[in-house]
Amino acid sequence: CFFFFFSNDLWLFMDLQPPKEPKIEVRVLQEYGEITTSNGDVINLNLGSQQYMRRVDAEPLIRQGILEHIL
């Protein structure tokens, strides 16, 4: 893991290893509707549904509280 220092208060971390799972299983926590993924697929995110999707598409929605990663 490399550490990049940008200011007195901000550190960014960057892993050199790719993610172990390029696709992850997620559960929809909030009704969100249809999304188009980075590879052009269309996924409908209905409340309570479970999806298997690319990590790169899921992570922003996980951070927003729309999805949760099912381990």
Side-chain angles (χ1 to χ4, degrees):
C1 188
F2 281 93
F3 300 96
F4 294 95
F5 183 69
F6 286 98
S7 73
N8 290 338
D9 299 322
L10 178 65
W11 283 85
L12 296 180
F13 304 93
M14 186 175 106
D15 290 326
L16 295 177
Q17 299 294 326
K20 293 179 183 174
E21 305 171 68
K23 289 193 172 186
I24 60 173
E25 189 171 4
V26 295
R27 179 177 298 116
V28 182
L29 300 176
Q30 296 179 27
E31 187 70 31
Y32 197 73
E34 233 176 49
I35 65 163
T36 302
T37 64
S38 59
N39 64 352
D41 292 336
V42 175
I43 299 175
N44 199 353
L45 299 177
N46 294 321
L47 179 64
S49 67
Q50 292 183 202
Q51 307 288 337
Y52 192 65
M53 58 192 298
R54 294 178 63 206
R55 179 182 293 274
V56 68
D57 296 319
E59 283 183 339
L61 298 169
I62 291 170
R63 284 192 295 272
Q64 293 175 43
I66 296 163
L67 302 177
E68 73 174 338
H69 184 189
I70 299 172
L71 301 176

